[in-house]
Amino acid sequence: MSSSNKDKKREKGFPVSRRRFLQVSGGVAAAGLLGAAAKKGVASTPPASEKKLLPVNLPIPETIIKKSVCHQCPGRCGIDVYVTDGKVHRIFGNPDHPIANGKLCPKGYFGAQILYDPDRFKSPMKRTNPKKGRNEDPKFVPITWDEALDTIAKRLKGLRGKGESHRFALCFGRGWGASDVGTIETFGKLYGSPNIPIGHASMCSEGSKRAKRATDGNDSYSAYDYDNANYILSFGAGLLEAFRPLNYVIQKWGKLRDKSPRARITQVDVRKSTTAIAADRSLIIKPGTDGALALAISHVILTEGLWNKKFVGDFKDKTNKFKTGETIDAKQFTEKWVSGLIEWWNAELKDRTPKWAAEVCRVSADDITIAAREFATGGPSIALMERGATTYPNGVYNGMAIHSLNALVGSMFAKGGLMYQMKPPYGPLPANADDYMDDYAKAIGGKGIPRVDMAGTSEWPLAGTMLQEVAKNHLAGKPYKLDTVMFYLTNPIFSAPDCKKWEEALKDIFVIDTSPFPGETAIYADLVVPDHTYLERYQDTPIYPTYGYPTTNLRTPVIPPLYDTKYIGDTIIEIGKRLGGKTGEYFNAIKDSVNVLKHLAKGFEKEPGDNGVKDFKGWEEKGFWAKKPYHWKQIEGEFYEWDGKDYNKKMTQAEVKERLLKTPSGKFEVKSNLLIQHAGYISKKYGITADRVGFPQWVAPKYTGGGDLHLIVPKYAFHAEGRGANLPLSIEQFQPYVGGRKGTYLEMHPKTAMARKINEEDKVKISTSLGSIEAKVRFYEGCQEDVVVLPFEFGHWAMGRWAKGRGSSNSNEIIENVSDPISGLASYNASLCKVEKI
Amino acid sequence: MARMTFVMDARRCIGCQACTVACKAENDVPLGVWRTQIRSKEVGKYPSVRRHFYQWICAQCGNCVEASQNNGVGAVSRRADGIVLVDYEKLTKGRTKKQIDTEIDAAIEACPIGAFSRNPVTGMPEKCTQCAHRVDKGLVPACAQTCLGRARIYGDASDPKSEVSQVLGRNSARPAPPNDCSDPYVFYIELEGSLVDRGALEGFAQVKTSDLNSGKIDQVVNSLGGK
């Protein structure tokens, strides 16, 4: 079957008519519908004797295996892409890659469907219908790249001419590395806009980063030594559903369960999630109370004398004076690597008993005590969290309470504990951006123009980015109205809390979308400059915090781009060139994104990877550069540095402060200097006294929405990044679990449903103060009676033919835009709702 | 003589469905039918809810082989290493549609677990081949290759050194009930018996000629196997 016929058939889609069946039933070859893959085996020729029994006995042309990097989550698994006759037909994990280990999670296999998606944008396009709306056809017409880039450059020059360069914003979601976000950041600096870029971290998992910065000085996610851990205490982390890298974490989960002695896992969650079900023990708590539980665990660890004395320090007379309800004189305690412990105890912990937490969290006090003892004595132990515990208005305090557990048991930088991720030794770029700043760009910083999202201003002093505020602020004209916004791998018009605001805001903004696919943003776009899909582009992807030692992958085009698309890095460089002046000079010197990557790779010359990669060519061939080991280790309360053979070099206090515990005190701060610097702001926001702001503490979360049931919106394992809603293979496996072809399930406890006269499969209206959405009900015994669960990602109104027509169940439409005042993380899980039968 | 065998360790499965997707991608299995799947069942009352997993897959038992011989030309046959495959040429060459359908339907009927079905696009038989094209190259099937928790172990049970043999030696493994599979090559460790009732066995993949003729297949495909 020729490829064009095949494409036609794909576009026709289902259903398959009986006539069609009759037409093809006489044929021998079973033509699959998945991917546009030619029906060929893996590069294998069957032995002659078995040949006639094989289901497929067509001649098998040569298959080339290309190395690249997955794009379905931020995990960055190395992949082997099988290309036969110029067609991608299989994707497997790269067996050499330290994250993938030859395996992939279910999302990894979707690649070919993204590449051959029949709805892809095939060239730059401009809008011809000036009216914007959900149901307005943009009436796109194809244009040339020259026209598209000139249009953008002209707009940007115009804004700069009026001194309004800040009215251009570039919002990005998944940034991968130096060749995309790195280029964008430099562009912002040279062009002169505080809004280039506005990242999406405040809608992702900024809370855990800020909790870590407040306590140990690292504004980062953590890397974990799962191999040597013996106890995992997970606070709402979807280890088997969404934690990154999912592939790696599930592999490690298998290992943890298999070794002797078997590692134990306790899952704290608000429902019986897949992870909670598979864990040894689960503590099902009231949403948003993770911090209270963590504080009570700390209370038990201290009162029972179970803390790691070599890391934390001890009482001078070696007798434990932590007694419930009693304050202690700080002079009696000698601190080692934890700063402010006695003050924390006196101000907060002394009353945070398991009995107290049992009431707040709704679990038994005995279970808390047992979890605390197991955690403190069954080590090495890790306490971990991401969105589950931090997407509440008290997120950072929850996170700090959780992360402090790692300090109390001495897991920081220890074997079987947690650490941070080392960065790859990239070489310098061909030009230094600082040398190309013109007077305008130099002056802009001094003009006091805030970011449009107000991140880093007195409104959100500790937030790095506040993407969810952009639409609201634009509509209010405060601090100013935007003129032009470009989007890269983010779709806040669907994914931001109170996302309908974006539909209003984008009406009078010139919108540039870079997505290769028609999503909701594109419906509002004035200009589309489509990116390559991930299997068509070069891109560096240094890994997320995973295991500590540095690793960076190279995404390579496994086939030439199918359509007239352009890599975002090159789109930015080309716009830069067209801006002229010093910016133009810089981007002419940079040349293109492959040139950027080649310069980055020069850094490997001095430090070849463990797999022998020492230049761009090797990087491309192997798909990654990685160099073991992680360089630092805390052993029994002392820090050591790798000297090339072992952790032999003992570190001074100053070295620890510079490299590992980067707080002002150089210690793990349970009295956070960072928060104390912002005491006025924080005490006002939470209504607590200024002397308390530095401590990890219990602050009751304010729930939004105004209903009687907690609305929890988790991510599931089939949620492929950004495109899962339109991938047939994903939807096919996912949909029966989350609601079938035409709807989405709302998980509900049978009792709760019965009380509302709701039966399984009934259609219901889920309402909050912002409005309502619809879903079908699925009874689930694992739900708390006042908790309902609706996975996000569903209810798309654009996105392609597969995403459409599955009901209006986008949870983001009814979740209020309320954020944690410290991190700025949107409180996605803090909403209450009402559920009624339709 | 090689005896290619799967051992499914239900203790290690968490139901991520990576195997399901890997199989579909590897074998171009159309939407609406499956060659393998993780089926799960929730048991217990809150908060003691547990989930059991069943790695549903063709047991290579040979029931369909017999049915195919008795009702046609024996297009379904067992290889020396135990893998049951369909010879499409033998099935179709010089035969009427009715003859072909009779043979396929007999095989579908003979399968106790619904693992022999029809490809809704071509109307041809659809069953697990244990990725014979990969096995012949010394690779393991796509599902076992990707299994993250190592809950699927594949190999030659007649080789005492193989991982499969060792796992079988260490654990008590049994075929999935019911015991209608005559000569199964797939074994389970700690499979929850109640899960593998008829309902769970007669799964999504069982597409029959009558379905194709009645138009029911449209529903199967459209609903994507959903409830």
Side-chain angles (χ1 to χ4, degrees):
Chain A
M1 186 178 290
S2 78
S3 63
S4 65
N5 271 345
K6 194 135 191 178
D7 284 343
K8 231 179 253 166
K9 190 176 67 183
R10 279 168 50 78
E11 282 176 30
K12 265 194 211 155
F14 297 105
V16 179
S17 66
R18 176 153 179 269
R19 194 161 147 248
R20 160 113 232 144
F21 155 65
L22 291 173
Q23 276 169 356
V24 293
S25 64
V28 178
L33 271 178
L34 296 172
K39 183 70 195 177
K40 279 133 198 166
V42 177
S44 64
T45 314
S49 59
E50 307 286 10
K51 204 166 184 173
K52 76 184 182 63
L53 282 181
L54 276 170
V56 180
N57 43 19
L58 298 167
I60 296 168
E62 203 177 330
T63 296
I64 308 159
I65 300 175
K66 293 249 195 166
K67 305 284 177 187
S68 197
V69 188
C70 189
H71 191 292
Q72 315 294 355
C73 90
R76 291 154 161 83
C77 292
I79 52 174
D80 279 3
V81 184
Y82 289 59
V83 184
T84 307
D85 271 0
K87 290 241 171 191
V88 173
H89 60 105
R90 301 283 184 273
I91 297 177
F92 284 101
N94 176 348
D96 303 320
H97 193 269
I99 296 178
N101 296 312
K103 296 179 183 296
L104 283 180
C105 82
K107 298 189 286 284
Y109 297 93
F110 301 154
Q113 295 196 334
I114 285 188
L115 180 66
Y116 297 115
D117 185 337
D119 294 326
R120 277 185 63 179
F121 291 145
K122 297 178 175 63
S123 74
M125 297 185 300
K126 69 176 177 195
R127 184 184 197 94
T128 57
N129 177 4
K131 270 172 76 183
K132 288 187 182 179
R134 262 195 201 201
N135 300 315
E136 289 293 338
D137 181 349
K139 301 220 167 91
F140 285 128
V141 294
I143 53 172
T144 62
W145 273 101
D146 274 333
E147 186 183 343
L149 296 168
D150 285 342
T151 306
I152 301 172
K154 202 176 148 203
R155 275 193 94 84
L156 298 195
K157 274 197 214 163
L159 284 173
R160 219 176 190 247
K162 292 187 280 181
E164 293 181 356
S165 56
H166 56 279
R167 293 180 64 211
F168 172 61
L170 196 155
C171 305
F172 79 97
R174 176 67 51 236
W176 292 96
S179 71
D180 61 346
V181 175
T183 306
I184 290 169
E185 281 169 354
T186 309
F187 182 87
K189 196 163 146 182
L190 297 179
Y191 175 66
S193 169
N195 299 315
I196 308 173
I198 296 175
H200 85 149
S202 57
M203 285 158 49
C204 179
S205 200
E206 195 78 338
S208 76
K209 275 161 75 179
R210 218 43 39 77
K212 281 162 190 175
R213 182 173 154 207
T215 47
D216 69 25
N218 293 278
D219 198 51
S220 169
Y221 309 119
S222 297
Y224 304 95
D225 182 10
Y226 296 112
D227 283 337
N228 294 302
N230 207 29
Y231 194 86
I232 308 263
L233 179 58
S234 151
F235 287 82
L239 294 169
L240 302 181
E241 296 141 283
F243 210 66
R244 61 181 170 258
L246 184 66
N247 182 357
Y248 181 82
V249 173
I250 301 183
Q251 287 176 42
K252 293 300 172 193
W253 180 286
K255 216 169 193 177
L256 286 167
R257 313 303 269 165
D258 204 28
K259 66 177 191 181
S260 183
R262 177 171 169 218
R264 290 179 66 83
I265 299 164
T266 293
Q267 175 77 0
V268 180
D269 216 321
V270 297
R271 63 190 246 277
K272 279 276 188 174
S273 62
T274 299
T275 312
I277 279 176
D280 295 289
R281 182 194 299 282
S282 61
L283 296 169
I284 305 298
I285 61 167
K286 184 180 174 183
T289 63
D290 304 71
L293 186 74
L295 293 170
I297 291 174
S298 292
H299 182 95
V300 174
I301 290 173
L302 293 180
T303 51
E304 299 196 356
L306 303 176
W307 75 92
N308 184 320
K309 281 141 196 128
K310 285 182 173 151
F311 183 81
V312 178
D314 200 359
F315 288 100
K316 283 179 182 145
D317 62 2
K318 308 278 175 209
T319 54
N320 185 7
K321 293 180 180 54
F322 290 115
K323 291 200 178 68
T324 300
E326 291 179 20
T327 55
I328 297 166
D329 180 359
K331 283 183 206 132
Q332 292 178 301
F333 194 90
T334 311
E335 288 176 341
K336 187 83 184 274
W337 293 108
V338 174
S339 162
L341 181 68
I342 302 298
E343 287 170 272
W344 182 33
W345 169 265
N346 290 342
E348 178 71 13
L349 277 188
K350 69 176 174 20
D351 304 317
R352 298 310 182 206
T353 60
K355 205 173 149 222
W356 165 82
E359 230 164 80
V360 176
C361 309
R362 306 190 304 209
V363 288
S364 92
D366 286 349
D367 282 349
I368 299 176
T369 308
I370 291 168
R373 286 178 189 154
E374 282 180 353
F375 180 75
T377 59
S381 300
I382 298 171
L384 50 76
M385 45 107 185
E386 282 298 339
R387 281 172 67 101
T390 55
T391 41
Y392 297 93
N394 60 352
V396 167
Y397 279 134
N398 279 349
M400 287 169 72
I402 293 162
H403 191 43
S404 298
L405 294 172
N406 291 315
L408 289 186
V409 298
S411 290
M412 296 301 300
F413 304 99
K415 189 177 175 185
L418 67 170
M419 65 223 112
Y420 291 96
Q421 183 65 41
M422 289 171 69
K423 297 209 163 60
Y426 278 160
L429 296 184
N432 182 359
D434 290 336
D435 303 337
Y436 293 84
M437 303 260 291
D438 62 13
D439 293 341
Y440 183 98
K442 279 182 196 158
I444 196 97
K447 284 187 182 161
I449 301 170
R451 284 167 56 121
V452 68
D453 60 359
M454 300 299 276
T457 69
S458 60
E459 205 162 304
W460 301 100
L462 283 152
T465 180
M466 289 301 293
L467 178 57
Q468 70 269 34
E469 299 287 292
V470 171
K472 195 171 84 182
N473 292 359
H474 167 79
L475 287 170
K478 260 171 88 177
Y480 44 79
K481 287 233 173 225
L482 287 172
D483 176 84
T484 305
V485 182
M486 190 163 174
F487 292 96
Y488 168 52
L489 281 175
T490 190
N491 191 27
I493 191 168
F494 175 83
S495 58
D498 192 8
C499 57
K500 280 183 163 172
K501 276 250 157 62
W502 285 80
E503 289 181 51
E504 284 309 304
L506 296 191
K507 277 183 181 161
D508 65 345
I509 293 177
F510 189 85
V511 176
I512 306 165
D513 191 18
T514 62
S515 167
F517 314 101
E520 282 81 6
T521 304
I523 298 291
Y524 277 76
D526 294 278
L527 197 62
V528 177
V529 282
D531 198 357
H532 296 325
T533 66
Y534 75 100
L535 294 172
E536 299 164 305
R537 68 192 186 215
Y538 279 107
Q539 193 168 41
D540 68 313
T541 68
I543 65 166
Y544 257 61
T546 303
Y547 39 52
Y549 63 84
T551 307
T552 183
N553 312 307
L554 186 66
R555 190 169 275 149
T556 60
V558 297
I559 56 163
L562 291 176
Y563 303 113
D564 188 16
T565 53
K566 196 185 279 293
Y567 174 48
I568 176 82
D570 290 316
T571 300
I572 297 291
I573 291 171
E574 290 305 318
I575 296 168
K577 287 177 185 170
R578 282 168 164 80
L579 287 179
K582 286 203 165 183
T583 307
E585 280 173 38
Y586 172 81
F587 284 107
N588 278 319
I590 289 289
K591 211 171 125 197
D592 58 35
S593 62
V594 172
N595 190 39
V596 168
L597 294 167
K598 284 182 175 161
H599 278 81
L600 297 177
K602 282 188 182 159
F604 305 152
E605 274 168 24
K606 273 188 202 151
E607 285 190 62
D610 293 340
N611 56 352
V613 168
K614 56 181 189 336
D615 52 23
F616 183 77
K617 197 166 157 268
W619 200 17
E620 186 173 7
E621 273 166 17
K622 304 266 172 142
F624 69 99
W625 171 101
K627 197 168 173 63
K628 286 179 183 173
Y630 185 65
H631 276 196
W632 303 281
K633 195 172 252 178
Q634 181 256 121
I635 305 166
E636 305 209 326
E638 299 299 337
F639 285 88
Y640 298 89
E641 193 161 44
W642 181 259
D643 69 353
K645 284 183 186 141
D646 207 341
Y647 298 95
N648 286 325
K649 201 175 147 243
K650 196 168 166 186
M651 295 167 76
T652 65
Q653 205 150 355
E655 285 169 336
V656 172
K657 182 178 171 176
E658 190 199 327
R659 281 159 221 175
L660 302 173
L661 297 170
K662 299 174 183 169
T663 55
S665 65
K667 293 181 179 184
F668 190 100
E669 294 183 351
V670 289
K671 183 181 179 186
S672 168
N673 279 307
L674 176 74
L675 299 194
I676 289 168
Q677 282 166 22
H678 298 275
Y681 169 82
I682 295 169
S683 68
K684 201 173 110 202
K685 286 282 171 188
Y686 285 114
I688 54 178
T689 53
D691 58 327
R692 281 177 59 86
V693 297
F695 303 114
Q697 62 188 287
W698 170 241
V699 183
K702 282 203 185 84
Y703 301 109
T704 60
D708 54 347
L709 298 170
H710 291 275
L711 177 62
I712 300 298
V713 288
K715 174 180 172 179
Y716 285 178
F718 274 96
H719 177 125
E721 193 140 273
R723 200 62 190 159
N726 196 52
L727 301 176
L729 199 45
S730 165
I731 295 302
E732 182 196 33
Q733 316 308 323
F734 200 171
Q735 210 69 38
Y737 293 89
V738 297
R741 177 84 176 96
K742 295 219 169 86
T744 310
Y745 281 136
L746 177 78
E747 278 179 15
M748 210 171 184
H749 192 278
K751 263 193 205 167
T752 316
M754 292 305 199
R756 289 165 175 72
K757 301 211 165 36
I758 296 168
N759 272 315
E760 201 151 19
E761 296 280 327
D762 276 354
K763 234 180 165 187
V764 291
K765 192 165 94 173
I766 308 161
S767 342
T768 70
S769 52
L770 290 184
S772 61
I773 53 173
E774 289 173 10
K776 284 194 291 184
V777 162
R778 175 180 181 257
F779 286 1
Y780 182 41
E781 271 289 343
C783 255
Q784 300 186 72
E785 284 181 27
D786 66 345
V787 169
V788 291
V789 180
L790 184 75
F792 72 80
E793 170 86 19
F794 296 94
H796 278 280
W797 46 271
M799 208 70 174
R801 63 192 69 184
W802 283 90
K804 272 190 190 165
R806 280 201 231 102
S808 60
S809 52
N810 179 10
S811 55
N812 301 314
E813 288 181 8
I814 56 165
I815 291 174
E816 284 183 32
N817 183 6
V818 171
S819 304
D820 172 0
I822 301 179
S823 68
L825 178 63
S827 299
Y828 280 105
N829 284 317
S831 188
L832 293 166
C833 67
K834 283 198 207 90
V835 177
E836 305 158 86
K837 191 173 166 172
I838 298 177
Chain B
M1 184 63 69
R3 186 183 165 102
M4 301 315 288
T5 303
F6 263 118
V7 179
M8 309 293 193
D9 190 341
R11 296 170 302 186
R12 305 189 61 145
C13 179
I14 56 102
C16 75
Q17 307 278 11
C19 48
T20 309
V21 182
C23 166
K24 297 207 82 161
E26 173 70 28
N27 296 300
D28 285 354
V29 182
L31 299 173
V33 289
W34 285 264
R35 292 183 180 186
T36 186
Q37 211 176 37
I38 303 300
R39 296 189 182 161
S40 62
K41 188 169 179 175
E42 282 140 14
V43 293
K45 293 277 174 202
Y46 179 83
S48 306
V49 178
R50 291 195 59 207
R51 198 173 288 163
H52 296 301
F53 299 104
Y54 165 42
Q55 297 93 337
W56 173 85
I57 192 170
C58 165
Q60 312 288 338
C61 76
N63 284 15
C64 53
V65 175
E66 205 177 311
S68 146
Q69 281 164 358
N70 294 342
N71 295 281
V73 291
V76 188
S77 64
R78 188 191 284 287
R79 295 205 313 194
D81 60 3
I83 303 177
V84 174
L85 295 174
V86 180
D87 185 336
Y88 293 85
E89 207 179 323
K90 194 169 173 185
L91 179 67
T92 52
K93 206 168 184 184
R95 301 183 72 206
T96 65
K97 181 170 178 322
K98 197 175 173 202
Q99 286 172 322
I100 298 168
D101 282 346
T102 306
E103 185 165 350
I104 296 175
D105 282 346
I108 291 173
E109 286 300 329
C111 181
I113 64 166
F116 196 106
S117 71
R118 270 187 196 266
N119 181 313
V121 181
T122 62
M124 286 288 109
E126 187 69 42
K127 83 174 281 298
C128 167
T129 63
Q130 293 196 342
C131 289
H133 57 289
R134 288 174 59 87
V135 173
D136 292 338
K137 273 284 186 185
L139 302 168
V140 298
C143 59
Q145 163 66 33
T146 206
C147 181
L148 307 171
R150 293 186 53 69
R152 278 176 191 246
I153 297 151
Y154 184 79
D156 180 3
S158 67
D159 172 7
K161 283 188 204 142
S162 72
E163 193 185 357
V164 156
S165 297
Q166 288 170 9
V167 172
L168 282 172
R170 276 202 306 271
N171 299 280
S172 128
R174 61 182 175 90
N179 301 323
D180 313 11
C181 291
S182 48
D183 188 11
Y185 281 53
V186 178
F187 298 91
Y188 293 81
I189 297 170
E190 282 194 22
L191 179 67
E192 183 60 35
S194 65
L195 189 72
V196 198
D197 53 25
R198 279 286 173 186
L201 292 168
E202 288 173 358
F204 300 137
Q206 207 170 12
V207 177
K208 298 177 185 174
T209 301
S210 54
D211 295 336
L212 292 165
N213 292 339
S214 68
K216 196 175 145 201
I217 184 62
D218 288 356
Q219 281 170 24
V220 175
V221 175
N222 270 341
S223 70
L224 298 173
K227 293 180 199 173

